[in-house]
Structures are given as C-alpha cells and as structure tokens.
Amino acid sequence: MSNETSRERVLSGIQPTHLSFHLGNYLGAIKQWVDLQSSHDAFYCVVDLHALTIGAKPEELRRRTLASVAQLIALGLDPEKCTLFIQSHVPAHNQLGWVLECLTGFGEASRMTQFKDKSQKAGSDRTVVGLFTYPILQAADILLYQAHKVPVGEDQRQHIELTRDLGQRFNAKFGETFTIPEGYILKAAAKINDLQDPTAKMSKSSSSGAGVIEIMDSPEINIKKIKSAVTDTGREVLFDEQAKPGVSNLLSIYSALTAKTITAAQEDFIGKGYGDFKMTVAEVVVEYLRPVREKANELLEDEAHLSKLLKIGAEKADAVASKTLRDTYDAMGLISRG
Ligand code: TYM
C-alpha cells in the first residue's frame, strides 16, 4: 500500500451472526468491498461486538467469527490490499462509542427503524440496551477511521445518516475532528429479496430460511431453493418490481453475478419459460459460489494462519483508530495520561 494517504478511505462492517453469509450480504455489500479495495484505503471489520446483541453461545460466536473472516477472504478480500480485522481487537470502538452516546438524543436513537422493528418483535423486557445503542457503536466504527465512503446495503441508510449527524454535531461543538462519510449504496443490488417472500429483504432473522441463499450451503440445497422461488402467474421474464417482484429479484441476482445489465439479462430469457429461467439462475449462482465455499473451508482448516492475518489487520486498524480517539478526547477536554 504505497500512497495510502492520497487515497479515499472506505470502511464497512459485517456481523458474525451465522456460520454463513447470504447472497444479500454479498451482493448488497461485500462485492463492493472487494471492488473498492484496489482503489481505496479500505478498512473492513467483522463486528463481533455488535453480534453480542443477539446473545449467541460463546463457542458459536467464536466459530461464526472465524467463518466470517474465511468467507470474506474467499469472496475476494485480499488482506494485502485492505485492512481486515475484528472489531473487538480495537478497543477504541467502544471508547468512541461512549463519547458518541453522550452526544445522541434518546429520541434520536429511539427513531432508528431497525431498533424499532427488532424491539417490537422481541418486546421491551427481552430487548437489550445494546440493541438500542447499536447504531451509535456503528457510528464509532465509521468515524474512527475518518472514512469517506461506507459500502452497505439499503437497510443501513438510516444508520449512515445518524453517523453523519453525530460527526457533524461533534465537529460543530468541539472543532473539526471527523471526516463526514457518505453511504456507498449501489441501487441495483442494494436490496436482494427473500426468494419465498420477494417483497421482503433476504435476511436470516426474518424468514424460515427457504428463501435465503447461503454462501456456504451445498449446490443441491441452493438449486432447490432457487427452483422453488416464488414468481407470479405470468409467463414472461421481465424486470418489473411492482408487478413481478419474484422474477425481478432473480433477474437482479443474475445480472449482478454475470455483470450484465438488467436489459441484457432480460434478453437472455426471451421466449423462455420460468422453469428454464430459474434453472439458469440456479446454475449461475452455484457455479459462482462453488469455489468460494471450497476456499472458505480450506481457510478454516488453518486457524493459526487466520489469526496471523487478523493480528496484522488489528495493528493497522489500531494505529488509525487510536489517533482519532486521542484527537477526540483532546478536543473534548479529557486530559491525556501523558
Ligand atoms: P449486517 O451484518 O446485518 O449486514 C452486512 C451487510 O449486508 C447488507 N445486507 C443486504 N444487502 C442487500 N440485500 C439484502 N437482503 C441484505 N441483507 C444485508 C447490509 O446492508 C450490510 O451492508 N449494522 C451493520 C453492521 C455494521 C456496519 C458498521 C456496517 C456495524 N458497523 C460500520 C458499516 C459500517 C449490519 O447490520 O450489517
């Protein structure tokens, strides 16, 4: 990484909530992470502290975190080109998180839609406070690295807005300290939907799993899921999100994985029925994911190697994050230990 300082910085994060990411995570976010790592000074983290909000068992969290790192590399992140690290390895995330909590209004945090949805489903007694402060920790993740861009899916737009508000508020009150980031949200793949409920986003927490394509699942399982995808009573393969949400979702997946425009993707299926269409999409998906799954499994066999990569990543991240934290503390009047 020769001219780091002259390149724009990107940061993003992903939660290790399962043993496999799904296609929405990849197309909505990780694919852009891979694209941006060559042209940007890129920081990507597995946000294990955020994942504590779901209350996984310790051994599960450990395995999911390593599986997440392995998949990120298998999907194309190159630790030589980007800084790949685990959030809990850099204590400044929690430290800046507290500072930002002291600048966030209670009402402001209460308006976060992801918090409202999740807490409504669970009920207030079963909702942890960490879920409430979750977006503030996310803002700390981003502001610590002075990121210009944050590649994420559509569902993160409100959290990026909060991050911008908090950064601007801090700068106005205590002097220019943070770069104000922009969301990097690609329209075409920003929301990949569930194959069984194509008006809802693909998400493991909100569906039975039958409509979720998992990166680490076998080709047989994924072919079956795509063949069973909900479409409509029509016959033509056309992109029309209102009238044909199922077909449009499959076309979005196909076009993103083949790097074809939606128009070119539609042309591939002129005169073909839904059966052929689904089979072709299924083949594209499983052939795309086959080497990824193999590579991730191979990486998981050598934990010592992954740990070594993560240590290097944490050191690089820590150097940037500690400097921002110190500047933040200074700006606010917290006395340096000397
Ligand atoms: P997480 O782990 O839920 O999701 C990771 C990324 O995947 C995107 N995504 C989708 N994109 C398109 N279609 C879908 N169906 C779909 N489902 C998920 C998400 O938008 C996300 O970009 N709060 C973040 C994690 C985070 C973070 C950060 C992100 C913590 N700190 C700092 C950016 C910067 C989250 O929930 O990701």
PDB file of all heavy atoms in Angstrom, residues 11-15 22 24-25 28-29 47 50 114 134 138 141-142 150-156 159 189-192 201-202, ligand 1:
ATOM      1  N   LEU A  11     -14.752   2.311   4.852  1.00  0.00           N
ATOM      2  CA  LEU A  11     -14.873   1.373   5.968  1.00  0.00           C
ATOM      3  C   LEU A  11     -16.233   0.717   5.900  1.00  0.00           C
ATOM      4  O   LEU A  11     -17.232   1.358   5.572  1.00  0.00           O
ATOM      5  CB  LEU A  11     -14.754   2.088   7.320  1.00  0.00           C
ATOM      6  CG  LEU A  11     -15.024   1.084   8.469  1.00  0.00           C
ATOM      7  CD1 LEU A  11     -13.942   1.053   9.494  1.00  0.00           C
ATOM      8  CD2 LEU A  11     -16.416   1.222   9.054  1.00  0.00           C
ATOM      9  N   SER A  12     -16.257  -0.579   6.185  1.00  0.00           N
ATOM     10  CA  SER A  12     -17.549  -1.214   6.391  1.00  0.00           C
ATOM     11  C   SER A  12     -17.394  -2.374   7.372  1.00  0.00           C
ATOM     12  O   SER A  12     -16.273  -2.766   7.721  1.00  0.00           O
ATOM     13  CB  SER A  12     -18.152  -1.689   5.070  1.00  0.00           C
ATOM     14  OG  SER A  12     -19.553  -1.877   5.245  1.00  0.00           O
ATOM     15  N   GLY A  13     -18.549  -2.885   7.813  1.00  0.00           N
ATOM     16  CA  GLY A  13     -18.519  -3.974   8.786  1.00  0.00           C
ATOM     17  C   GLY A  13     -19.650  -4.951   8.532  1.00  0.00           C
ATOM     18  O   GLY A  13     -20.645  -4.623   7.875  1.00  0.00           O
ATOM     19  N   ILE A  14     -19.465  -6.152   9.056  1.00  0.00           N
ATOM     20  CA  ILE A  14     -20.498  -7.176   8.917  1.00  0.00           C
ATOM     21  C   ILE A  14     -20.555  -7.991  10.204  1.00  0.00           C
ATOM     22  O   ILE A  14     -19.530  -8.242  10.833  1.00  0.00           O
ATOM     23  CB  ILE A  14     -20.225  -8.063   7.673  1.00  0.00           C
ATOM     24  CG1 ILE A  14     -21.426  -8.956   7.359  1.00  0.00           C
ATOM     25  CG2 ILE A  14     -18.946  -8.904   7.828  1.00  0.00           C
ATOM     26  CD1 ILE A  14     -21.464  -9.418   5.910  1.00  0.00           C
ATOM     27  N   GLN A  15     -21.756  -8.371  10.588  1.00  0.00           N
ATOM     28  CA  GLN A  15     -21.909  -9.111  11.849  1.00  0.00           C
ATOM     29  C   GLN A  15     -21.703 -10.617  11.652  1.00  0.00           C
ATOM     30  O   GLN A  15     -22.232 -11.171  10.695  1.00  0.00           O
ATOM     31  CB  GLN A  15     -23.325  -8.948  12.378  1.00  0.00           C
ATOM     32  CG  GLN A  15     -23.715  -7.557  12.738  1.00  0.00           C
ATOM     33  CD  GLN A  15     -25.044  -7.588  13.477  1.00  0.00           C
ATOM     34  OE1 GLN A  15     -25.103  -7.900  14.657  1.00  0.00           O
ATOM     35  NE2 GLN A  15     -26.109  -7.288  12.781  1.00  0.00           N
ATOM     36  N   HIS A  22     -25.275 -14.610   3.523  1.00  0.00           N
ATOM     37  CA  HIS A  22     -26.221 -14.930   2.451  1.00  0.00           C
ATOM     38  C   HIS A  22     -25.949 -14.048   1.239  1.00  0.00           C
ATOM     39  O   HIS A  22     -25.130 -13.112   1.297  1.00  0.00           O
ATOM     40  CB  HIS A  22     -27.667 -14.859   2.944  1.00  0.00           C
ATOM     41  CG  HIS A  22     -28.088 -13.528   3.495  1.00  0.00           C
ATOM     42  ND1 HIS A  22     -28.246 -12.419   2.716  1.00  0.00           N
ATOM     43  CD2 HIS A  22     -28.381 -13.133   4.767  1.00  0.00           C
ATOM     44  CE1 HIS A  22     -28.634 -11.401   3.463  1.00  0.00           C
ATOM     45  NE2 HIS A  22     -28.713 -11.808   4.720  1.00  0.00           N
ATOM     46  N   GLY A  24     -27.623 -11.784  -0.156  1.00  0.00           N
ATOM     47  CA  GLY A  24     -27.906 -10.354   0.044  1.00  0.00           C
ATOM     48  C   GLY A  24     -26.694  -9.646   0.636  1.00  0.00           C
ATOM     49  O   GLY A  24     -26.326  -8.550   0.201  1.00  0.00           O
ATOM     50  N   ASN A  25     -26.041 -10.276   1.609  1.00  0.00           N
ATOM     51  CA  ASN A  25     -24.832  -9.669   2.191  1.00  0.00           C
ATOM     52  C   ASN A  25     -23.769  -9.479   1.114  1.00  0.00           C
ATOM     53  O   ASN A  25     -23.103  -8.445   1.054  1.00  0.00           O
ATOM     54  CB  ASN A  25     -24.205 -10.576   3.266  1.00  0.00           C
ATOM     55  CG  ASN A  25     -25.073 -10.814   4.475  1.00  0.00           C
ATOM     56  OD1 ASN A  25     -25.211 -11.941   4.946  1.00  0.00           O
ATOM     57  ND2 ASN A  25     -25.663  -9.773   5.009  1.00  0.00           N
ATOM     58  N   GLY A  28     -25.216  -6.980  -1.782  1.00  0.00           N
ATOM     59  CA  GLY A  28     -25.502  -5.640  -1.256  1.00  0.00           C
ATOM     60  C   GLY A  28     -24.263  -4.938  -0.726  1.00  0.00           C
ATOM     61  O   GLY A  28     -24.171  -3.710  -0.778  1.00  0.00           O
ATOM     62  N   ALA A  29     -23.306  -5.708  -0.212  1.00  0.00           N
ATOM     63  CA  ALA A  29     -22.171  -5.052   0.442  1.00  0.00           C
ATOM     64  C   ALA A  29     -20.805  -5.626   0.036  1.00  0.00           C
ATOM     65  O   ALA A  29     -19.983  -4.928  -0.551  1.00  0.00           O
ATOM     66  CB  ALA A  29     -22.354  -5.139   1.958  1.00  0.00           C
ATOM     67  N   VAL A  47     -17.842  -7.326  12.873  1.00  0.00           N
ATOM     68  CA  VAL A  47     -18.267  -6.592  14.071  1.00  0.00           C
ATOM     69  C   VAL A  47     -18.842  -7.565  15.117  1.00  0.00           C
ATOM     70  O   VAL A  47     -20.044  -7.684  15.304  1.00  0.00           O
ATOM     71  CB  VAL A  47     -19.229  -5.429  13.717  1.00  0.00           C
ATOM     72  CG1 VAL A  47     -18.485  -4.338  12.968  1.00  0.00           C
ATOM     73  CG2 VAL A  47     -20.420  -5.886  12.888  1.00  0.00           C
ATOM     74  N   HIS A  50     -21.048  -5.994  17.930  1.00  0.00           N
ATOM     75  CA  HIS A  50     -22.450  -5.805  17.535  1.00  0.00           C
ATOM     76  C   HIS A  50     -23.219  -7.120  17.633  1.00  0.00           C
ATOM     77  O   HIS A  50     -24.391  -7.146  18.015  1.00  0.00           O
ATOM     78  CB  HIS A  50     -22.538  -5.273  16.095  1.00  0.00           C
ATOM     79  CG  HIS A  50     -22.349  -3.789  15.994  1.00  0.00           C
ATOM     80  ND1 HIS A  50     -21.228  -3.200  15.463  1.00  0.00           N
ATOM     81  CD2 HIS A  50     -23.166  -2.772  16.346  1.00  0.00           C
ATOM     82  CE1 HIS A  50     -21.360  -1.883  15.507  1.00  0.00           C
ATOM     83  NE2 HIS A  50     -22.524  -1.605  16.039  1.00  0.00           N
ATOM     84  N   GLN A 114     -34.503  -0.001  12.504  1.00  0.00           N
ATOM     85  CA  GLN A 114     -34.109  -1.388  12.785  1.00  0.00           C
ATOM     86  C   GLN A 114     -34.307  -1.706  14.267  1.00  0.00           C
ATOM     87  O   GLN A 114     -34.745  -2.794  14.627  1.00  0.00           O
ATOM     88  CB  GLN A 114     -32.650  -1.631  12.375  1.00  0.00           C
ATOM     89  CG  GLN A 114     -32.499  -1.697  10.864  1.00  0.00           C
ATOM     90  CD  GLN A 114     -31.325  -2.567  10.422  1.00  0.00           C
ATOM     91  OE1 GLN A 114     -30.360  -2.741  11.158  1.00  0.00           O
ATOM     92  NE2 GLN A 114     -31.410  -3.098   9.222  1.00  0.00           N
ATOM     93  N   TYR A 134     -26.744   0.209  19.523  1.00  0.00           N
ATOM     94  CA  TYR A 134     -26.072  -0.431  18.380  1.00  0.00           C
ATOM     95  C   TYR A 134     -25.667   0.564  17.277  1.00  0.00           C
ATOM     96  O   TYR A 134     -24.509   0.594  16.837  1.00  0.00           O
ATOM     97  CB  TYR A 134     -27.025  -1.518  17.836  1.00  0.00           C
ATOM     98  CG  TYR A 134     -26.609  -2.270  16.607  1.00  0.00           C
ATOM     99  CD1 TYR A 134     -26.357  -3.642  16.662  1.00  0.00           C
ATOM    100  CD2 TYR A 134     -26.509  -1.651  15.357  1.00  0.00           C
ATOM    101  CE1 TYR A 134     -26.002  -4.358  15.520  1.00  0.00           C
ATOM    102  CE2 TYR A 134     -26.146  -2.347  14.228  1.00  0.00           C
ATOM    103  CZ  TYR A 134     -25.899  -3.695  14.311  1.00  0.00           C
ATOM    104  OH  TYR A 134     -25.536  -4.383  13.187  1.00  0.00           O
ATOM    105  N   GLN A 138     -21.936   1.664  15.762  1.00  0.00           N
ATOM    106  CA  GLN A 138     -21.663   1.627  14.322  1.00  0.00           C
ATOM    107  C   GLN A 138     -21.095   2.973  13.852  1.00  0.00           C
ATOM    108  O   GLN A 138     -20.160   3.026  13.044  1.00  0.00           O
ATOM    109  CB  GLN A 138     -22.941   1.288  13.551  1.00  0.00           C
ATOM    110  CG  GLN A 138     -22.749   1.298  12.044  1.00  0.00           C
ATOM    111  CD  GLN A 138     -23.903   0.631  11.290  1.00  0.00           C
ATOM    112  OE1 GLN A 138     -24.783   0.022  11.886  1.00  0.00           O
ATOM    113  NE2 GLN A 138     -23.882   0.758   9.980  1.00  0.00           N
ATOM    114  N   ASP A 141     -17.539   3.028  14.727  1.00  0.00           N
ATOM    115  CA  ASP A 141     -16.739   2.210  13.789  1.00  0.00           C
ATOM    116  C   ASP A 141     -16.310   3.048  12.588  1.00  0.00           C
ATOM    117  O   ASP A 141     -15.178   2.945  12.114  1.00  0.00           O
ATOM    118  CB  ASP A 141     -17.580   1.050  13.199  1.00  0.00           C
ATOM    119  CG  ASP A 141     -18.077   0.061  14.236  1.00  0.00           C
ATOM    120  OD1 ASP A 141     -17.509   0.012  15.336  1.00  0.00           O
ATOM    121  OD2 ASP A 141     -19.047  -0.671  13.921  1.00  0.00           O
ATOM    122  N   ILE A 142     -17.240   3.838  12.103  1.00  0.00           N
ATOM    123  CA  ILE A 142     -17.007   4.574  10.849  1.00  0.00           C
ATOM    124  C   ILE A 142     -16.154   5.824  11.096  1.00  0.00           C
ATOM    125  O   ILE A 142     -15.153   6.058  10.418  1.00  0.00           O
ATOM    126  CB  ILE A 142     -18.362   4.973  10.217  1.00  0.00           C
ATOM    127  CG1 ILE A 142     -19.180   3.714   9.897  1.00  0.00           C
ATOM    128  CG2 ILE A 142     -18.155   5.840   8.976  1.00  0.00           C
ATOM    129  CD1 ILE A 142     -20.645   3.962   9.554  1.00  0.00           C
ATOM    130  N   VAL A 150     -18.922   4.486   2.848  1.00  0.00           N
ATOM    131  CA  VAL A 150     -19.301   3.298   3.613  1.00  0.00           C
ATOM    132  C   VAL A 150     -20.157   2.394   2.718  1.00  0.00           C
ATOM    133  O   VAL A 150     -21.353   2.655   2.525  1.00  0.00           O
ATOM    134  CB  VAL A 150     -20.098   3.696   4.882  1.00  0.00           C
ATOM    135  CG1 VAL A 150     -20.333   2.477   5.769  1.00  0.00           C
ATOM    136  CG2 VAL A 150     -19.381   4.775   5.665  1.00  0.00           C
ATOM    137  N   PRO A 151     -19.553   1.353   2.142  1.00  0.00           N
ATOM    138  CA  PRO A 151     -20.334   0.471   1.258  1.00  0.00           C
ATOM    139  C   PRO A 151     -21.246  -0.469   2.052  1.00  0.00           C
ATOM    140  O   PRO A 151     -20.765  -1.329   2.795  1.00  0.00           O
ATOM    141  CB  PRO A 151     -19.259  -0.316   0.477  1.00  0.00           C
ATOM    142  CG  PRO A 151     -18.010  -0.204   1.296  1.00  0.00           C
ATOM    143  CD  PRO A 151     -18.116   1.008   2.164  1.00  0.00           C
ATOM    144  N   VAL A 152     -22.540  -0.274   1.890  1.00  0.00           N
ATOM    145  CA  VAL A 152     -23.540  -1.069   2.624  1.00  0.00           C
ATOM    146  C   VAL A 152     -24.782  -1.266   1.749  1.00  0.00           C
ATOM    147  O   VAL A 152     -24.923  -0.623   0.713  1.00  0.00           O
ATOM    148  CB  VAL A 152     -24.009  -0.342   3.921  1.00  0.00           C
ATOM    149  CG1 VAL A 152     -22.991  -0.433   5.033  1.00  0.00           C
ATOM    150  CG2 VAL A 152     -24.368   1.115   3.634  1.00  0.00           C
ATOM    151  N   GLY A 153     -25.690  -2.108   2.223  1.00  0.00           N
ATOM    152  CA  GLY A 153     -26.988  -2.271   1.572  1.00  0.00           C
ATOM    153  C   GLY A 153     -27.958  -1.184   2.026  1.00  0.00           C
ATOM    154  O   GLY A 153     -27.687  -0.440   2.984  1.00  0.00           O
ATOM    155  N   GLU A 154     -29.077  -1.126   1.354  1.00  0.00           N
ATOM    156  CA  GLU A 154     -30.099  -0.091   1.585  1.00  0.00           C
ATOM    157  C   GLU A 154     -30.548  -0.029   3.059  1.00  0.00           C
ATOM    158  O   GLU A 154     -30.802   1.047   3.591  1.00  0.00           O
ATOM    159  CB  GLU A 154     -31.293  -0.405   0.666  1.00  0.00           C
ATOM    160  CG  GLU A 154     -32.454   0.549   0.732  1.00  0.00           C
ATOM    161  CD  GLU A 154     -32.086   1.973   0.356  1.00  0.00           C
ATOM    162  OE1 GLU A 154     -31.346   2.167  -0.619  1.00  0.00           O
ATOM    163  OE2 GLU A 154     -32.558   2.887   1.066  1.00  0.00           O
ATOM    164  N   ASP A 155     -30.624  -1.188   3.725  1.00  0.00           N
ATOM    165  CA  ASP A 155     -31.146  -1.206   5.096  1.00  0.00           C
ATOM    166  C   ASP A 155     -30.275  -0.417   6.083  1.00  0.00           C
ATOM    167  O   ASP A 155     -30.695  -0.169   7.209  1.00  0.00           O
ATOM    168  CB  ASP A 155     -31.344  -2.662   5.576  1.00  0.00           C
ATOM    169  CG  ASP A 155     -30.053  -3.465   5.597  1.00  0.00           C
ATOM    170  OD1 ASP A 155     -29.010  -2.962   5.129  1.00  0.00           O
ATOM    171  OD2 ASP A 155     -30.084  -4.612   6.089  1.00  0.00           O
ATOM    172  N   GLN A 156     -29.067  -0.042   5.653  1.00  0.00           N
ATOM    173  CA  GLN A 156     -28.172   0.681   6.563  1.00  0.00           C
ATOM    174  C   GLN A 156     -28.215   2.201   6.368  1.00  0.00           C
ATOM    175  O   GLN A 156     -27.497   2.940   7.039  1.00  0.00           O
ATOM    176  CB  GLN A 156     -26.726   0.188   6.386  1.00  0.00           C
ATOM    177  CG  GLN A 156     -26.537  -1.276   6.770  1.00  0.00           C
ATOM    178  CD  GLN A 156     -26.941  -1.532   8.207  1.00  0.00           C
ATOM    179  OE1 GLN A 156     -26.445  -0.873   9.129  1.00  0.00           O
ATOM    180  NE2 GLN A 156     -27.861  -2.454   8.413  1.00  0.00           N
ATOM    181  N   HIS A 159     -28.683   4.339   9.456  1.00  0.00           N
ATOM    182  CA  HIS A 159     -27.532   4.320  10.372  1.00  0.00           C
ATOM    183  C   HIS A 159     -26.401   5.224   9.852  1.00  0.00           C
ATOM    184  O   HIS A 159     -25.691   5.855  10.641  1.00  0.00           O
ATOM    185  CB  HIS A 159     -27.012   2.885  10.552  1.00  0.00           C
ATOM    186  CG  HIS A 159     -27.949   2.013  11.344  1.00  0.00           C
ATOM    187  ND1 HIS A 159     -27.768   0.654  11.482  1.00  0.00           N
ATOM    188  CD2 HIS A 159     -29.078   2.301  12.050  1.00  0.00           C
ATOM    189  CE1 HIS A 159     -28.739   0.158  12.225  1.00  0.00           C
ATOM    190  NE2 HIS A 159     -29.545   1.136  12.580  1.00  0.00           N
ATOM    191  N   ALA A 189     -28.171  -3.553  -6.507  1.00  0.00           N
ATOM    192  CA  ALA A 189     -28.089  -4.708  -5.606  1.00  0.00           C
ATOM    193  C   ALA A 189     -28.299  -4.335  -4.148  1.00  0.00           C
ATOM    194  O   ALA A 189     -28.045  -5.125  -3.252  1.00  0.00           O
ATOM    195  CB  ALA A 189     -26.724  -5.378  -5.767  1.00  0.00           C
ATOM    196  N   ALA A 190     -28.805  -3.109  -3.911  1.00  0.00           N
ATOM    197  CA  ALA A 190     -28.874  -2.628  -2.533  1.00  0.00           C
ATOM    198  C   ALA A 190     -29.874  -3.406  -1.693  1.00  0.00           C
ATOM    199  O   ALA A 190     -29.799  -3.430  -0.473  1.00  0.00           O
ATOM    200  CB  ALA A 190     -29.222  -1.154  -2.515  1.00  0.00           C
ATOM    201  N   LYS A 191     -30.840  -4.055  -2.365  1.00  0.00           N
ATOM    202  CA  LYS A 191     -31.793  -4.852  -1.589  1.00  0.00           C
ATOM    203  C   LYS A 191     -32.122  -6.128  -2.361  1.00  0.00           C
ATOM    204  O   LYS A 191     -32.896  -6.099  -3.309  1.00  0.00           O
ATOM    205  CB  LYS A 191     -33.052  -4.036  -1.289  1.00  0.00           C
ATOM    206  CG  LYS A 191     -33.987  -4.768  -0.359  1.00  0.00           C
ATOM    207  CD  LYS A 191     -35.111  -3.865   0.138  1.00  0.00           C
ATOM    208  CE  LYS A 191     -36.164  -4.691   0.871  1.00  0.00           C
ATOM    209  NZ  LYS A 191     -37.481  -4.588   0.253  1.00  0.00           N
ATOM    210  N   ILE A 192     -31.506  -7.213  -1.950  1.00  0.00           N
ATOM    211  CA  ILE A 192     -31.816  -8.517  -2.527  1.00  0.00           C
ATOM    212  C   ILE A 192     -32.929  -9.099  -1.661  1.00  0.00           C
ATOM    213  O   ILE A 192     -32.847  -9.074  -0.430  1.00  0.00           O
ATOM    214  CB  ILE A 192     -30.557  -9.419  -2.518  1.00  0.00           C
ATOM    215  CG1 ILE A 192     -29.442  -8.808  -3.392  1.00  0.00           C
ATOM    216  CG2 ILE A 192     -30.889 -10.845  -2.954  1.00  0.00           C
ATOM    217  CD1 ILE A 192     -29.777  -8.642  -4.866  1.00  0.00           C
ATOM    218  N   LYS A 201     -36.779  -8.140   2.405  1.00  0.00           N
ATOM    219  CA  LYS A 201     -35.353  -8.335   2.136  1.00  0.00           C
ATOM    220  C   LYS A 201     -34.885  -9.725   2.580  1.00  0.00           C
ATOM    221  O   LYS A 201     -35.428 -10.295   3.543  1.00  0.00           O
ATOM    222  CB  LYS A 201     -34.511  -7.238   2.802  1.00  0.00           C
ATOM    223  CG  LYS A 201     -34.273  -7.426   4.262  1.00  0.00           C
ATOM    224  CD  LYS A 201     -33.167  -6.501   4.785  1.00  0.00           C
ATOM    225  CE  LYS A 201     -33.032  -6.766   6.279  1.00  0.00           C
ATOM    226  NZ  LYS A 201     -32.057  -6.015   6.990  1.00  0.00           N
ATOM    227  N   MET A 202     -33.907 -10.251   1.859  1.00  0.00           N
ATOM    228  CA  MET A 202     -33.325 -11.531   2.245  1.00  0.00           C
ATOM    229  C   MET A 202     -32.637 -11.343   3.595  1.00  0.00           C
ATOM    230  O   MET A 202     -31.772 -10.479   3.736  1.00  0.00           O
ATOM    231  CB  MET A 202     -32.311 -11.979   1.180  1.00  0.00           C
ATOM    232  CG  MET A 202     -31.786 -13.374   1.401  1.00  0.00           C
ATOM    233  SD  MET A 202     -30.652 -13.935   0.090  1.00  0.00           S
ATOM    234  CE  MET A 202     -31.766 -14.387  -1.215  1.00  0.00           C
TER     235      MET A 202
HETATM  236  P1  TYM B   1     -25.225  -6.945   8.642  1.00  0.00           P
HETATM  237  O1  TYM B   1     -24.197  -7.862   9.188  1.00  0.00           O
HETATM  238  O2  TYM B   1     -26.637  -7.145   9.035  1.00  0.00           O
HETATM  239  O3  TYM B   1     -25.188  -6.962   7.061  1.00  0.00           O
HETATM  240  C1  TYM B   1     -23.969  -6.813   6.357  1.00  0.00           C
HETATM  241  C2  TYM B   1     -24.204  -6.049   5.072  1.00  0.00           C
HETATM  242  O4  TYM B   1     -25.112  -6.768   4.215  1.00  0.00           O
HETATM  243  C3  TYM B   1     -26.106  -5.874   3.736  1.00  0.00           C
HETATM  244  N1  TYM B   1     -27.341  -6.643   3.518  1.00  0.00           N
HETATM  245  C4  TYM B   1     -28.042  -6.642   2.365  1.00  0.00           C
HETATM  246  N2  TYM B   1     -27.841  -6.000   1.198  1.00  0.00           N
HETATM  247  C5  TYM B   1     -28.738  -6.218   0.203  1.00  0.00           C
HETATM  248  N3  TYM B   1     -29.798  -7.065   0.321  1.00  0.00           N
HETATM  249  C6  TYM B   1     -30.026  -7.718   1.476  1.00  0.00           C
HETATM  250  N4  TYM B   1     -31.064  -8.547   1.588  1.00  0.00           N
HETATM  251  C7  TYM B   1     -29.136  -7.527   2.572  1.00  0.00           C
HETATM  252  N5  TYM B   1     -29.062  -8.017   3.832  1.00  0.00           N
HETATM  253  C8  TYM B   1     -27.957  -7.476   4.394  1.00  0.00           C
HETATM  254  C9  TYM B   1     -26.259  -4.836   4.850  1.00  0.00           C
HETATM  255  O5  TYM B   1     -26.824  -3.649   4.355  1.00  0.00           O
HETATM  256  C10 TYM B   1     -24.831  -4.677   5.298  1.00  0.00           C
HETATM  257  O6  TYM B   1     -24.149  -3.721   4.500  1.00  0.00           O
HETATM  258  N6  TYM B   1     -25.134  -2.627  11.018  1.00  0.00           N
HETATM  259  C11 TYM B   1     -24.381  -3.368  10.026  1.00  0.00           C
HETATM  260  C12 TYM B   1     -23.011  -3.802  10.502  1.00  0.00           C
HETATM  261  C13 TYM B   1     -22.064  -2.705  10.840  1.00  0.00           C
HETATM  262  C14 TYM B   1     -21.514  -1.746   9.940  1.00  0.00           C
HETATM  263  C15 TYM B   1     -20.630  -0.961  10.716  1.00  0.00           C
HETATM  264  C16 TYM B   1     -21.691  -1.505   8.591  1.00  0.00           C
HETATM  265  C17 TYM B   1     -21.525  -2.447  12.066  1.00  0.00           C
HETATM  266  N7  TYM B   1     -20.656  -1.407  11.987  1.00  0.00           N
HETATM  267  C18 TYM B   1     -19.901   0.094  10.141  1.00  0.00           C
HETATM  268  C19 TYM B   1     -20.974  -0.435   8.021  1.00  0.00           C
HETATM  269  C20 TYM B   1     -20.089   0.343   8.795  1.00  0.00           C
HETATM  270  C21 TYM B   1     -25.217  -4.600   9.737  1.00  0.00           C
HETATM  271  O7  TYM B   1     -26.231  -4.813  10.282  1.00  0.00           O
HETATM  272  O8  TYM B   1     -24.715  -5.457   8.874  1.00  0.00           O
END
